[in-house]
Amino acid sequence: SSRLFAVIRFESIIHEFDPWFNYRSTHHLASNGFYEFLNWFDERAWYPLGRIVGGTVYPGLMVTAGLIHYVLNLLHVTVHIRDVCVFLAPVFSGLTSISTFLLTRELWNQGAGLLAACFIAIVPGYISRSVAGSFDNEGIAIFALQFTYYLWVKSVKTGSVFWTIGCCISYFYMVSAWGGYVFIINLIPLHVFVLLLMQRYSRRVYIAYSTFYIVGLVLSMQVPFVGFQPIRTSEHMAAAGVFALLQAYAFLLYLKDRLTKQEFQTLFFLGVSLAAGVVFLTVIYLTYTGEWACIHVDFFFPRHTVFYSHLGPFYAKIHIPIIASVSEHQPTTWVSFFFDLHILVCTFPAGLWFCIKNINDERVFVALYAISAVYFAGVMVRLMLTLTPVVCMLSAVAFSSVFEHYMGDDTRREKPPAEDSSDEDDKRNSGNLYDKVSLLTMLMLMLLMMFAVHCTWVTSNAYSSPSVVLASYNHDGSRNILDDFREAYYWLRQNTDEHVRVMSWWDYGYQIAGMANRTTLVDNNTWNNSHIALVGKAMSSNESAAYEIMRSLDVDYVLIIFGGVIGYSGDDINKFLWMVRIAEGEHPKDIRESDYFTPQGEFRVDKAGSPTLLNCLMYKMSYYRFGEMQETEAKLDFRTPPGFDRTRNVEIGNKDIKFKHLEEAFTSEHWLVRIYKVKHLDNRESLDHKLRSVVPKQKYTSKKVRKSYLFQ
Amino acid sequence: MNEASSFRRRAARRPFSAAALGVSAGGLVNEEVKRTVDLSTHLAKITTELVLSNQGHSAVQSFILSVEPDLAPHLAYIGASVKGDGEDDGLLEIQQSDIHGHSGDFYKVHLASSLAAGAQLKVKVEMTFSHVLKPFPTHITQAERQLVVFQGNHYLYSPYPTRSQTTRVRLASKTVETYTKLGNPSKNDEIIEYGPFRDVPPYSEDTMKIHYENNTPFLTIGSLTRTIEVSHWGNIAVEETIDLRHTGAVLRGAFSRYDYQRQSDSGISSIKSFKTILPASAQDVYYRDEIGNISTSHLQVLDDSVEVEVRPRFPLFGGWKTHYVIGYNLPSYEYLYTLGDQYALKMRLVDHVYDDQVIDSLTVKIILPEGARNIHMDTPYKIDRLPNQLHYTYLDTFGRPVLVVTKDNLVEHHIQDVVVHYNFNKILMLQEPLLVVGAFYILFFTVIIYVRLDFAITKDPAAEVRMKVASITEQVLTLVNKRLGLYRHMDEVVNRYKQSRDTGALNSGRKTLEADHRTLTNEISSLQARLKAEGSDLAEKVGEVQKVDSQVKELVCRSCQEAERLVAGKVKKEAYIENEKNLSSKRQEFVGRIDSLLDAL
């Protein structure tokens, strides 16, 4: 229920950036049907390239929402597709906590399952992706992930084809929902592999994995976006390798039954050395190319680039600025670990230890899960999401075994023996023990309570803002809503031609497409780096150079975000260096990052800033007429000079900004969004007056007559 | 083309209208005419007060109002009333007709009482025209003011001769660029007065042209779809989908937020917000568009209305448009009248959106409850009715009937009530709850069926045995508990015996105990045999229970005998108590053992 803060505080609205695209395609699906959706060519994105949406998205999310909407409407429950989309994530997080309960129950016991379900229900790391309105792949993918794992554990335990098929179907759903399915297709083979190494091979494992690999492979290839990747790309090769290994192992065991020891040993020696050699080489190769480690595929980026970014935290920063420019792709800090997981981050190693201590087949699995997830979460903030469920499970195991040990016993079975001995010393000891136990349990409960408080606090403060609508608080505590984004987008939607092309930085591409319904040049599906670089180049060039680029791209409007008036820090000037860097990556001749720094190497927008910066298009668009603006209503300081940028706390350097090829078309109420119109080419030089005498005289007189009639 | 076709239509109807007009045209004369042309808003409201005098020879039932051909297509509303001494007598009935040989629109006004020959009558005529004020220049910058041109008629366009006429024009501002100067009009601030003109012949036209500054909001509702959903559960939901457009001079060049915020006269003709007045009982008002709630509105609840300050997301400049949805709920008791099965809904066909509103095209959908029959509609004015539709919403099976009506070019005068009559069987009210009940019933029933019946393809013998054993143990448990109950009962009997010393009661009690105990023990041992047959190791435990129980039984019998002996005086009281204590503690122990055994079962 804490996931609904956003709806209560604001309204039932789609949040952030990507959800807007998902919403838009769901809307398309709901209104045009499934096949139309699969064949959808979106000409509104990536002008002039367009985008084949049906083949480049994971359709699970849209199909789920569309299906729910369809069923509800079939029952005449007239719910708007937007509401379905907004509330999908909270509903699925409920399912997630159920599947977490099931999985933990399989791993440990019912009590731990219950605790794990409670943890996953409130842990901020997961809430961040599943608040109402956050209509994103991750919301349903975590459910699919947990459920697949549950079914996998179940099928390993029972060795029944039934559970394995269930696991495959769940895996198929996961594949259709999120690129993170690669995590599953590598973790499960890893599990099998480790089981083999630990001499824990059994017929159950063989049945489960063989069925899973084949059926799962076939099913996953049904998703258009995935296609033939499972048999072509390296990140799926581990699964194939383990499959082959398992077959070989099973075959060897079979031979062992049939052959004499002598024969077998020669065969075994030959076979094993061969197989081991092959596997060893493959592993070496994979490790060498770094792809073994990269088992998460990012939805947003061309695959290979993201792999490298998973390799090590610093790789991307140096080589691929576009990936590094996303805040979600930064390496995780300790603070954010604690922020998102709080006490669980401390207790989950204990759970892991409990698991390893009483090891069995499925606990091997969860241990592997935990270790790999920890590694990936360390690399990238957004992969915190895959870590969260396992942390919840293991912490639940830790808490539950502690409670079982101390609480379960003292109420019932510890009493009689203590009284039976009826020794004074014993009694005193046990009394002390009770004190300690109760103190400890109290402490644990306190921790859990603090955890709950922390979760609620984080949810309400950090994760419940739609980021489309901003809220600010006045001195008296009343709330102001800054609705500038929607104001500007809606202006675009209503008051521009239906086919205009809007240029903006790619962050806003999905929102423009979703809310303004206009053609964009680049958007959050950053599949074409050079196109983005071109936009970056236009933004960072001077006006006439930018005009050339914009003319060649048929740009009609340019949209920028400017936070200088209200002090919004996520604006385009603060992102500007990334634009420069990305542009430099593709056009190193025209754009140089060093030009935008002062000789001292600072990025400054005031008078000391570099002249290139002060005259580039982005700067001019952001600060156009801002220099005249005196903070008359500034409540804090009356002495601020005109043109004082409240985000960067400086007075801007270039106050006299004139445009030749652009024209201010719209600026939202708090100047947050500014839209400029790209003027068409000027008319040719107007003809000389002398030439006018060619006009026949009669027409001239008739004109005069008409005129006199008008003002008679 | 439209003109041409309408002309042909008129021509076809000519014989009738010519004959109808033939009588009255001769006799009527406009004795004195006072025209007021109100151009202070974006509408042109022409109010004409005229004194008609019948100078013919026969009484007149009706007279003709006419509208200039230039203005006729823009006529949104026409109304005429007879002006009595005090109050108005209400509106007269008006019917469109035509006159051969003259262009323009003609309306025949039926008088309530005929006008005798030689008599005079004061009539007030109101006409409202939309879109007749043309911005000129058509494009202005943000800093400029909006100038508009009105082109009308100096004279009253009438099929009757006019004796004397004055025309007063009220403008929006003092600033007037030009105005036609027929008859040397006097201008005083916002008012221009023409006339008096004397003895104007019928159908005289002379272009009056005024070019002046008008910064009032030129707001036009392009299309308005009003959906009224009636629920018999006490609610009427109203939703209006509105396309708004600023139809004044189009903004040319840049829109500068800086100027707009800093200079009060910048963008003076733009629209920042306006007020919509909703009915007083309106609740749950929402104001949103495709991308969510519009957070820039305010709601004010007044005594007789609810006022919404509607602020579009952005200020509307000339040529800009916006689109929004506003909706609210009303209690149905204020609008829905019922008599038995007959219902009547009386609501405004169109409601207030803003002052001096213009609606280019209106569609009203009235959704009646499922099962409404015999629907008919009384409209206050002529309106096009489209074929009924069906609407499906929560818990509908065969759909709700939807009345759809449309009309073009509406102004404030059209805010009038419409009455929809229909029949509705009240039994149908039960349909929806029954549907829900039925659905839940089916749900629970399937769950019951699922839980009770075994759908497994393969039989699991172990599970079956387990279940059998469980059911047998269950039985054993109840039986053993019953048997323990017997002992307690016996204790009571003994206690009673100790007081009453009634040996007969004791004996009969003992007998029943014996009998019951035997039957129960037999049952338990048969169950034990069955358990054994199932191969359960619980059989042994049950056997143990039986053994312990026989000891308990013995103890009970002993205590009984002891009590007999006490009553008979064979033992001393102290000894008895001592004995009893012993026995009961022993019994306690045995019962405890039985309990622990039962727990283990």
Side-chain angles (χ1 to χ4, degrees):
Chain A
S1 64
S2 54
R3 286 174 171 79
L4 303 184
F5 278 153
V7 171
I8 296 162
R9 295 247 181 100
F10 295 93
E11 61 189 283
S12 165
I13 190 187
I14 308 284
H15 294 189
E16 306 261 348
F17 304 108
D18 300 336
W20 274 101
F21 167 74
N22 297 331
Y23 169 60
R24 183 159 159 261
S25 36
T26 309
H27 198 86
H28 190 87
L29 170 70
S31 43
N32 293 328
F34 180 65
Y35 289 101
E36 194 56 42
F37 168 70
L38 278 186
N39 292 325
W40 184 22
F41 178 78
D42 184 10
E43 75 283 354
R44 292 252 143 136
W46 293 96
Y47 182 85
L49 307 168
R51 176 186 176 192
I52 307 156
V53 173
T56 56
V57 292
Y58 291 100
L61 180 72
M62 297 102 191
V63 171
T64 309
L67 199 69
I68 292 173
H69 181 243
Y70 177 76
V71 168
L72 286 180
N73 272 319
L74 212 64
L75 297 171
H76 297 320
V77 180
T78 44
V79 178
H80 194 272
I81 183 78
R82 181 193 53 241
D83 294 325
V84 175
C85 294
V86 166
F87 292 105
L88 191 74
V91 167
F92 266 82
S93 62
L95 295 178
T96 307
S97 79
I98 289 173
S99 52
T100 306
F101 165 73
L102 292 172
L103 180 56
T104 321
R105 193 181 62 182
E106 289 304 317
L107 292 173
W108 202 257
N109 59 20
Q110 216 149 10
L114 213 57
L115 268 178
C118 293
F119 286 155
I120 193 98
I122 55 169
V123 71
Y126 180 51
I127 279 194
S128 68
R129 297 313 183 111
S130 64
V131 290
S134 159
F135 180 54
D136 215 342
N137 294 327
E138 286 94 331
I140 63 169
I142 292 301
F143 159 67
L145 185 87
Q146 288 292 89
F147 202 61
T148 310
Y149 285 157
Y150 162 65
L151 291 172
W152 168 249
V153 164
K154 192 90 186 167
S155 49
V156 167
K157 256 188 165 173
T158 59
S160 109
V161 177
F162 172 73
W163 289 110
T164 321
I165 295 293
C167 176
C168 290
I169 291 168
S170 170
Y171 172 66
F172 171 63
Y173 185 61
M174 175 73 187
V175 174
S176 74
W178 195 35
Y181 77 89
V182 184
F183 188 50
I184 298 184
I185 198 65
N186 283 281
L187 186 61
I188 285 177
L190 187 70
H191 178 216
V192 173
F193 186 67
V194 172
L195 284 183
L196 282 186
L197 287 185
M198 292 172 74
Q199 297 283 313
R200 283 177 169 274
Y201 170 83
S202 67
R203 191 157 290 213
R204 299 190 310 264
V205 174
Y206 178 76
I207 292 172
Y209 187 68
S210 304
T211 320
F212 170 78
Y213 180 69
I214 292 171
V215 180
L217 185 76
V218 170
L219 282 178
S220 69
M221 282 160 72
Q222 307 306 311
V223 177
F225 187 30
V226 176
F228 279 96
Q229 277 171 8
I231 54 171
R232 275 213 307 248
T233 54
S234 51
E235 70 262 20
H236 298 87
M237 283 304 130
V242 170
F243 179 67
L245 191 73
L246 194 68
Q247 300 303 327
Y249 192 84
F251 185 62
L252 278 180
L253 283 188
Y254 174 74
L255 286 182
K256 202 176 173 184
D257 285 351
R258 294 295 162 103
L259 297 176
T260 61
K261 215 169 184 186
Q262 197 62 43
E263 282 171 324
F264 179 72
Q265 264 180 355
T266 37
L267 200 77
F268 180 77
F269 184 71
L270 254 167
V272 161
S273 52
L274 206 77
V278 169
V279 168
F280 186 68
L281 283 178
T282 328
V283 170
I284 292 268
Y285 171 73
L286 289 173
T287 320
Y288 178 70
T289 53
E291 282 157 356
W292 174 259
C294 309
I295 56 170
H296 170 77
V297 165
D298 207 312
F299 174 71
F300 302 100
F301 295 98
R303 292 172 174 237
H304 57 277
T305 53
V306 176
F307 290 147
Y308 295 118
S309 72
H310 287 278
L311 245 188
F314 304 106
Y315 186 90
K317 214 169 216 169
I318 305 160
H319 298 280
I320 311 148
I322 191 158
I323 292 173
S325 73
V326 182
S327 60
E328 281 182 338
H329 294 169
Q330 307 299 331
T332 316
T333 56
W334 280 108
V335 177
S336 72
F337 267 113
F338 187 74
F339 191 70
D340 278 357
L341 301 172
H342 198 244
I343 194 69
L344 302 185
V345 83
C346 312
T347 53
F348 104 95
L352 190 61
W353 184 73
F354 277 122
C355 273
I356 291 174
K357 206 176 154 205
N358 311 313
I359 200 89
N360 59 16
D361 286 359
E362 59 268 18
R363 286 174 196 162
V364 172
F365 177 75
V366 80
L368 289 172
Y369 182 10
I371 292 161
S372 53
V374 166
Y375 174 71
F376 292 121
V379 174
M380 234 189 216
V381 176
R382 52 178 295 162
L383 296 188
M384 189 70 122
L385 192 60
T386 50
L387 175 67
T388 307
V390 72
V391 165
C392 289
M393 278 153 46
L394 289 178
S395 302
V397 166
F399 272 107
S400 114
S401 41
V402 168
F403 281 142
E404 233 163 56
H405 196 252
Y406 287 126
M407 284 171 82
D409 288 354
D410 67 16
T411 48
R412 266 209 162 188
R413 283 173 194 109
E414 230 172 32
K415 259 183 198 166
E419 277 169 1
D420 274 352
S421 62
S422 64
D423 200 323
E424 291 284 301
D425 287 351
D426 262 13
K427 255 187 185 167
R428 217 184 322 136
N429 272 346
S430 73
N432 279 342
L433 191 74
Y434 280 139
D435 285 349
K436 272 182 204 157
V437 165
S438 55
L439 202 74
L440 198 103
T441 38
M442 285 299 282
L443 222 100
M444 298 278 257
L445 286 175
M446 281 284 284
L447 277 180
L448 288 183
M449 255 159 67
M450 272 163 61
F451 173 65
V453 169
H454 171 83
C455 286
T456 320
W457 179 78
V458 168
T459 309
S460 76
N461 282 292
Y463 294 131
S464 287
S465 165
S467 88
V468 175
V469 185
L470 306 171
S472 70
Y473 292 89
N474 294 338
H475 298 299
D476 55 350
S478 66
R479 204 172 61 141
N480 265 344
I481 287 187
L482 309 181
D483 215 351
D484 282 37
F485 285 106
R486 286 196 291 177
E487 180 186 347
Y489 292 139
Y490 205 64
W491 181 85
L492 268 179
R493 188 188 187 108
Q494 291 291 333
N495 293 307
T496 56
D497 184 73
E498 202 188 337
H499 299 290
V500 298
R501 285 143 308 246
V502 182
M503 181 172 95
S504 71
W505 192 234
W506 61 263
D507 298 20
Y508 312 104
Y510 278 162
Q511 287 188 348
I512 293 173
M515 285 194 258
N517 195 19
R518 291 293 175 266
T519 308
T520 55
L521 269 70
V522 291
D523 63 30
N524 309 42
N525 178 305
T526 49
W527 60 273
N528 188 333
N529 193 29
S530 65
H531 211 57
I532 293 177
L534 209 55
V535 171
K537 189 183 168 191
M539 295 289 192
S540 43
S541 321
N542 61 34
E543 193 190 345
S544 48
Y547 187 61
E548 293 277 303
I549 299 171
M550 292 192 291
R551 288 287 303 170
S552 67
L553 288 173
D554 286 350
V555 175
D556 295 303
Y557 288 91
V558 188
L559 181 146
I560 58 156
I561 308 295
F562 171 63
V565 174
I566 51 162
Y568 174 71
S569 59
D571 67 352
D572 277 347
I573 289 283
N574 279 358
K575 290 174 185 167
F576 184 58
L577 275 182
W578 289 112
M579 300 182 204
V580 173
R581 274 173 209 158
I582 292 167
E584 189 187 8
E586 295 276 330
H587 310 278
K589 278 184 199 157
D590 305 315
I591 306 290
R592 271 175 304 276
E593 194 183 343
S594 53
D595 290 349
Y596 296 85
F597 290 113
T598 56
Q600 287 78 38
E602 292 167 299
F603 180 72
R604 303 178 67 157
V605 295
D606 57 2
K607 277 208 178 73
S610 83
T612 323
L613 174 65
L614 296 193
N615 286 302
C616 73
L617 185 69
M618 174 54 78
Y619 188 91
K620 283 173 84 173
M621 286 197 295
S622 291
Y623 293 118
Y624 178 60
R625 305 207 67 180
F626 184 66
E628 301 164 39
M629 186 157 159
Q630 177 90 43
E631 280 292 323
T632 45
E633 82 262 40
K635 298 133 203 162
L636 306 169
D637 191 1
F638 282 99
R639 286 161 298 164
T640 51
F644 185 77
D645 187 331
R646 286 175 65 186
T647 306
R648 285 155 284 271
N649 285 323
V650 285
E651 186 186 349
I652 60 168
N654 183 358
K655 288 187 187 170
D656 182 32
I657 297 173
K658 292 268 186 300
F659 280 116
K660 195 175 163 216
H661 304 293
L662 294 178
E663 174 179 281
E664 187 179 5
F666 187 79
T667 299
S668 63
E669 194 181 348
H670 304 95
W671 294 51
L672 202 53
V673 185
R674 309 195 70 178
I675 300 172
Y676 288 85
K677 186 175 165 50
V678 180
K679 282 194 210 161
H680 295 292
L681 288 173
D682 283 337
N683 285 334
R684 283 170 180 274
E685 291 289 305
S686 52
L687 296 175
D688 240 340
H689 258 297
K690 283 169 201 163
L691 290 170
R692 285 240 168 147
S693 58
V694 181
V695 179
K697 220 174 179 184
Q698 261 189 328
K699 206 173 181 181
Y700 185 69
T701 49
S702 73
K703 214 177 188 178
K704 197 173 179 186
V705 165
R706 206 169 61 89
K707 218 171 193 177
S708 65
Y709 169 72
L710 270 172
F711 303 101
Q712 74 180 108
Chain B
M1 223 180 353
N2 213 355
E3 283 293 300
S5 69
S6 65
F7 197 80
R8 223 175 302 126
R9 205 163 0 101
R10 256 180 237 156
R13 258 193 288 151
R14 189 198 328 144
F16 160 73
S17 45
L21 292 167
V23 190
S24 54
L28 286 174
V29 171
N30 297 322
E31 206 58 58
E32 197 190 341
V33 177
K34 265 197 223 160
R35 285 176 82 210
T36 313
V37 182
D38 185 355
L39 303 177
S40 58
T41 62
H42 65 303
L43 298 171
K45 299 179 200 160
I46 301 178
T47 316
T48 314
E49 284 178 30
L50 42 87
V51 180
L52 273 178
S53 86
N54 185 0
Q55 303 195 339
H57 305 291
S58 55
V60 178
Q61 292 293 336
S62 64
F63 66 99
I64 296 285
L65 290 173
S66 51
V67 185
E68 292 88 339
D70 289 347
L71 293 178
H74 298 292
L75 179 72
Y77 171 77
I78 183 167
S81 56
V82 173
K83 219 170 168 196
D85 294 329
E87 66 246 39
D88 288 354
D89 288 353
L91 291 174
L92 298 169
E93 197 190 328
I94 296 183
Q95 205 175 26
Q96 187 156 19
S97 65
D98 15 25
I99 295 178
H100 174 51
H102 295 282
S103 49
D105 276 6
F106 297 93
Y107 295 91
K108 189 172 179 184
V109 183
H110 297 271
L111 293 171
S113 55
S114 62
L115 185 62
Q120 284 192 339
L121 181 70
K122 252 187 168 176
V123 181
K124 187 177 169 192
V125 180
E126 271 186 278
M127 297 187 199
T128 308
F129 299 92
S130 59
H131 302 300
V132 289
L133 300 180
K134 303 276 187 245
F136 188 86
T138 51
H139 290 66
I140 56 170
T141 62
Q142 191 180 345
E144 283 173 332
R145 286 152 182 278
Q146 178 171 271
L147 299 172
V148 296
V149 174
F150 172 73
Q151 217 161 350
N153 188 358
H154 282 121
Y155 304 121
L156 174 70
Y157 190 67
S158 168
Y160 314 117
T162 305
R163 295 264 181 271
S164 145
Q165 185 210 330
T166 56
T167 300
R168 159 187 289 224
V169 183
R170 185 189 301 275
L171 302 176
S173 67
K174 287 182 211 171
T175 324
V176 180
E177 295 279 307
T178 56
Y179 57 98
T180 48
K181 307 228 163 58
L182 181 75
N184 205 9
S186 64
K187 180 179 170 292
N188 194 356
D189 285 350
E190 288 121 49
I191 291 170
I192 302 174
E193 292 206 54
Y194 288 97
F197 308 118
R198 308 235 172 248
D199 294 325
V200 185
Y203 303 117
S204 6
E205 267 193 278
D206 185 73
T207 308
M208 170 167 75
K209 187 162 179 177
I210 301 169
H211 188 199
Y212 68 105
E213 181 185 326
N214 185 348
N215 287 317
T216 52
F218 272 51
L219 202 55
T220 306
I221 299 172
S223 72
L224 189 152
T225 306
R226 182 171 155 97
T227 310
I228 300 168
E229 189 172 348
V230 182
S231 161
H232 280 179
W233 298 93
N235 189 51
I236 297 175
V238 181
E239 183 175 280
E240 291 174 350
T241 311
I242 295 172
D243 273 318
L244 267 186
R245 214 170 62 236
H246 188 297
T247 46
V250 176
L251 177 73
R252 186 185 66 204
F255 159 63
S256 166
R257 176 68 73 170
Y258 177 78
D259 290 339
Y260 188 68
Q261 281 173 342
R262 292 291 170 255
Q263 292 161 23
S264 57
D265 61 341
S266 167
I268 196 163
S269 60
S270 69
I271 298 149
K272 211 171 202 172
S273 69
F274 52 86
K275 279 202 171 106
T276 297
I277 298 171
L278 306 179
S281 50
Q283 289 168 333
D284 316 328
V285 182
Y286 57 89
Y287 167 51
R288 53 183 304 140
D289 56 28
E290 292 103 318
I291 59 173
N293 177 42
I294 303 170
S295 50
T296 48
S297 57
H298 297 283
L299 190 75
Q300 206 175 356
V301 180
L302 305 176
D303 287 344
D304 55 348
S305 65
V306 174
E307 247 182 41
V308 190
E309 193 202 335
V310 173
R311 221 175 122 195
R313 288 191 189 275
F314 42 84
L316 284 175
F317 278 84
W320 290 9
K321 57 188 183 8
T322 191
H323 170 97
Y324 68 86
V325 176
I326 190 165
Y328 48 89
N329 287 334
L330 297 169
S332 66
Y333 65 83
E334 287 186 12
Y335 300 94
L336 196 62
Y337 303 89
T338 169
L339 180 72
D341 272 359
Q342 292 173 325
Y343 285 82
L345 173 76
K346 190 175 176 197
M347 276 199 81
R348 283 179 173 177
L349 191 61
V350 55
D351 211 336
H352 180 270
V353 180
Y354 56 92
D355 292 336
D356 297 318
Q357 62 190 13
V358 178
I359 302 168
D360 285 350
S361 137
L362 166 80
T363 308
V364 180
K365 293 182 177 175
I366 302 176
I367 303 171
L368 297 177
E370 201 173 43
R373 290 168 291 112
N374 304 336
I375 305 156
H376 75 99
M377 195 173 187
D378 292 340
T379 51
Y381 35 83
K382 219 177 121 236
I383 189 158
D384 299 327
R385 177 108 179 251
L386 301 181
N388 282 5
Q389 297 171 345
L390 282 179
H391 176 78
Y392 293 93
T393 180
Y394 300 98
L395 301 173
D396 283 352
T397 44
F398 50 89
R400 307 184 176 200
V402 185
L403 307 179
V404 188
V405 293
T406 63
K407 187 169 168 61
D408 289 346
N409 202 359
L410 289 95
V411 288
E412 252 179 349
H413 296 284
H414 291 100
I415 301 179
Q416 289 179 32
D417 282 337
V418 62
V419 184
V420 178
H421 300 275
Y422 60 94
N423 285 10
F424 180 82
N425 194 346
K426 279 188 174 136
I427 298 291
L428 284 172
M429 295 272 284
L430 289 175
Q431 182 190 338
E432 293 182 359
L434 283 180
L435 215 62
V436 176
V437 170
F440 275 105
Y441 179 75
I442 290 171
L443 179 75
F444 291 139
F445 196 73
T446 17
V447 170
I448 287 170
I449 297 246
Y450 179 77
V451 170
R452 291 294 157 123
L453 298 184
D454 186 8
F455 289 101
I457 306 170
T458 53
K459 291 244 182 280
D460 185 354
E464 229 157 86
V465 167
R466 228 178 300 132
M467 260 160 67
K468 246 185 215 167
V469 168
S471 79
I472 292 171
T473 12
E474 190 75 12
Q475 285 174 20
V476 169
L477 279 182
T478 45
L479 288 179
V480 170
N481 278 330
K482 229 186 218 170
R483 206 161 59 181
L484 292 177
L486 282 182
Y487 302 144
R488 273 194 292 280
H489 183 70
M490 194 58 211
D491 283 351
E492 268 172 45
V493 169
V494 169
N495 278 339
R496 233 179 292 137
Y497 165 72
K498 274 189 275 181
Q499 276 152 23
S500 67
R501 304 175 179 233
D502 182 359
T503 331
L506 180 70
N507 282 337
S508 69
R510 201 183 305 175
K511 234 177 237 165
T512 49
L513 170 73
E514 288 286 343
D516 287 350
H517 186 264
R518 200 171 304 125
T519 51
L520 285 176
T521 314
N522 285 342
E523 272 177 48
I524 292 172
S525 36
S526 73
L527 287 175
Q528 185 191 358
R530 271 174 66 194
L531 274 180
K532 220 175 218 165
E534 297 291 347
S536 168
D537 53 350
L538 292 177
E540 290 162 29
K541 282 194 178 153
V542 174
E544 219 169 301
V545 169
Q546 292 285 64
K547 242 182 256 161
V548 177
D549 179 71
S550 64
Q551 286 168 320
V552 175
K553 165 91 195 307
E554 216 167 278
L555 288 175
V556 171
C557 289
R558 279 265 301 281
S559 74
C560 190
Q561 282 163 2
E562 290 289 323
E564 246 176 327
R565 280 169 61 195
L566 173 75
V567 171
K570 284 176 189 159
V571 276
K572 288 225 170 77
K573 208 169 181 185
E574 292 79 40
Y576 171 74
I577 287 168
E578 191 68 19
N579 247 332
E580 188 65 30
K581 221 180 178 178
N582 252 333
L583 285 175
S584 64
S585 76
K586 255 189 199 161
R587 231 172 93 184
Q588 212 72 48
E589 198 181 308
F590 285 132
V591 169
R593 263 168 70 188
I594 289 177
D595 277 342
S596 66
L597 280 168
L598 288 182
D599 278 347
L601 277 180

